[in-house]
Amino acid sequence: MSDEHAGEYYYCLKHKTVEPYEGCKAKDRLGPYASHAEASMALEKVQENNERWDKEDKAWEGDAGNEDR
């Protein structure tokens, strides 16, 4: 592993596992993450972000709709 990517971890969507930099193609994985543990929680973090962004979008759309009234 090159020093440039030392300590980088990725979550492989294809194999559903954590990999080092020398893993699968970028299109098949999430990251980089600073630790193995962080990478192993990638899907949970994606779900949390999606839920938060959906709530923020709904709130923003609600605020935008009130400006027209």
Side-chain angles (χ1 to χ4, degrees), residues 12-50:
C12 177
L13 298 166
K14 187 175 180 180
H15 298 107
K16 302 195 183 341
T17 189
V18 175
E19 318 181 316
Y21 176 76
E22 292 86 5
C24 290
K25 295 178 183 179
K27 72 178 186 93
D28 293 325
R29 59 190 192 169
L30 303 171
Y33 295 95
S35 69
H36 189 282
E38 189 179 342
S40 71
M41 301 296 292
L43 293 180
E44 289 86 349
K45 185 65 175 174
V46 166
Q47 182 65 32
E48 289 171 10
N49 287 340
N50 285 340

Side-chain angles (χ1 to χ4, degrees), residues 3-4 6 11 26 28 34 66:
D3 289 339
E4 179 182 358
Y11 184 81
D28 293 325
N66 290 332

